[in-house]
């Protein structure tokens, strides 16, 4: 297949691209910078210059492709006060892809998330539909991104083989600059590795290589209207994460009382305290996906998250 990929040089995309090429697919990657273009070319992908705001570019690239994997999201503005704007840009891109692919039965995959999907229980692929209570998605920005996922699933009614791949809050691996790297940086700055309350709350996790393989399997065979979970571990206690970070940095490990969490963890506090386990049983059975990468704590114990930051 000829596959158009947005976010192709990002953390997930840079694993998805070689996974696709290795399986015999041709990749066209969206690049907004010279560095991204060079990385894609070096990976063996064709380069299409532009951004997710270039809707005509998205439509034409989708129309010329056998399928689309949409991974780009404006994380830079999303986590600096502009989450709603980032979600709005994401929706415009999804709508553009829907227009280009309507009636073709070609696949459109987007990335979404599992964090806060269900409250007080293990989330499944059946959660997150329009009739579900908003829960942790009730804030305007997250609510819009949840609506974007629902709109993608609904494209199945317009003849698009659409699917949503929900990622856990941590897609870990060597080179990760996400939540785990942020927790390591906070521990360094504060002089101890912290967790909120008793640290028994759980986050699901997946290694980047396993997530990339699921995107490829979903592109090749997910039924229209699918919601899939890229979950290797249902729920890793945050205290176990903090203990691993403490060992890796040679720092003490301590609880942070909930009232002090915002001051200690800043923007991460609202996410870190969530108990949000998730299952991938349906996804594994549907697509014969079996994660093989290291678990989160094992990956942390490898040490690559604790390399001294460059000056």
């Amino acid at each position: 297949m000829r596959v158009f990929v947005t976010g192709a040089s990002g953390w997930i995309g840079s694993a998805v691209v070689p996974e696709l090429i290795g399986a015999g697919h041709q990749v066209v990657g969206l690049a907004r910078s010279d560095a991204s273009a060079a990385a894609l070319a070096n990976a063996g992908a064709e380069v299409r210059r532009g951004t997710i705001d270039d809707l005509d570019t998205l439509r034409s690239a989708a129309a010329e492709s056998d399928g689309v994997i949409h991974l780009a999201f404006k994380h830079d503005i999303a986590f600096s006060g502009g989450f709603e704007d980032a979600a709005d840009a994401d929706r415009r891109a999804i709508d553009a892809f829907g227009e280009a692919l309507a009636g073709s039965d070609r696949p459109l995959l987007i990335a979404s998330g599992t964090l806060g999907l269900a409250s007080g229980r293990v989330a499944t692929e059946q959660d997150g539909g329009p009739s579900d209570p908003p829960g942790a998605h009730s804030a305007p920005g997250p609510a819009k991104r949840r609506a974007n996922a629902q709109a993608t699933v609904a494209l199945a009614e317009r003849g698009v083989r659409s699917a949503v791949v929900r990622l856990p809050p941590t897609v870990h691996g060597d080179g990760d600059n996400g939540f785990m790297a942020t927790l390591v940086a906070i521990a360094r700055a504060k002089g101890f590795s912290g967790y909120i309350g008793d640290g028994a709350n759980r986050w699901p996790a997946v290694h980047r290589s396993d997530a990339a393989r699921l995107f490829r399997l979903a592109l090749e065979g997910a039924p229209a209207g699918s919601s899939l979970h890229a979950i290797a571990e249902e729920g890793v206690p945050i205290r176990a994460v903090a203990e691993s970070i403490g060992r890796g940095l040679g720092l003490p490990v301590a609880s942070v009382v909930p009232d002090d969490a915002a001051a200690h963890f800043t923007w991460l506090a609202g996410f870190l305290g969530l108990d949000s386990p998730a299952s991938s049983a349906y996804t594994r059975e549907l697509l014969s996906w079996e994660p093989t990468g290291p678990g989160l704590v094992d990956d942390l114990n490898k040490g690559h998250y604790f390399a001294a930051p460059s000056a």
Side-chain angles (χ1 to χ4, degrees), residues 226-255:
S226 300
S227 292
L228 308 169
H229 280 189
I231 303 296
E233 297 176 281
E234 279 196 1
V236 182
I238 294 299
R239 181 167 182 167
V241 171
E243 289 170 346
S244 181
I245 291 173
R247 287 192 300 271
L249 295 177
L251 293 174
V253 180
S255 171

Side-chain angles (χ1 to χ4, degrees), residues 51-261:
T51 74
I52 60 169
D53 293 320
D54 300 330
L55 301 183
D56 287 341
T57 295
L58 301 189
R59 291 188 194 95
S60 63
E64 296 164 3
S65 300
D66 299 311
V68 175
I69 299 179
H70 175 45
L71 301 174
F73 190 75
K74 295 184 175 182
H75 292 97
D76 51 344
I77 66 170
F79 293 113
S80 59
F83 201 107
E84 286 187 71
D85 291 337
D88 285 341
D90 189 46
R91 179 56 176 270
R92 289 190 293 270
I94 291 167
D95 289 346
F97 290 135
E99 292 172 21
L101 298 175
S104 70
D105 293 320
R106 285 177 282 170
L108 167 63
L109 273 61
I110 74 159
S112 187
T114 64
L115 193 61
L117 188 62
S119 178
R121 60 177 175 80
V122 176
T124 73
E125 292 88 342
Q126 285 67 49
D127 290 310
S131 61
D132 285 356
H137 291 277
S138 58
K144 282 190 174 184
R145 197 168 192 198
R146 180 187 180 191
N148 292 353
Q150 293 168 352
T152 301
V153 169
L155 287 171
E157 300 172 3
R158 297 176 54 196
V160 180
R161 186 160 64 80
S162 58
V164 174
V165 179
R166 296 176 181 151
L167 298 165
T170 177
V171 180
H172 55 88
D174 194 357
D176 173 24
N177 287 312
F179 285 153
M180 290 301 110
T182 301
L183 282 174
V184 170
I186 291 171
R188 263 201 187 95
K190 300 292 186 178
F192 72 95
S193 179
Y195 52 89
I196 299 173
D198 64 5
N201 62 297
R202 299 154 293 171
W203 273 15
V206 71
H207 192 269
R208 183 173 72 138
S209 61
D210 290 321
R213 190 166 68 259
L214 179 57
F215 274 102
R216 193 254 305 166
L217 291 171
L219 176 85
E220 293 171 347
S226 300
S227 292
L228 308 169
H229 280 189
I231 303 296
E233 297 176 281
E234 279 196 1
V236 182
I238 294 299
R239 181 167 182 167
V241 171
E243 289 170 346
S244 181
I245 291 173
R247 287 192 300 271
L249 295 177
L251 293 174
V253 180
S255 171
V256 176
V257 298
D259 286 348
D260 294 338

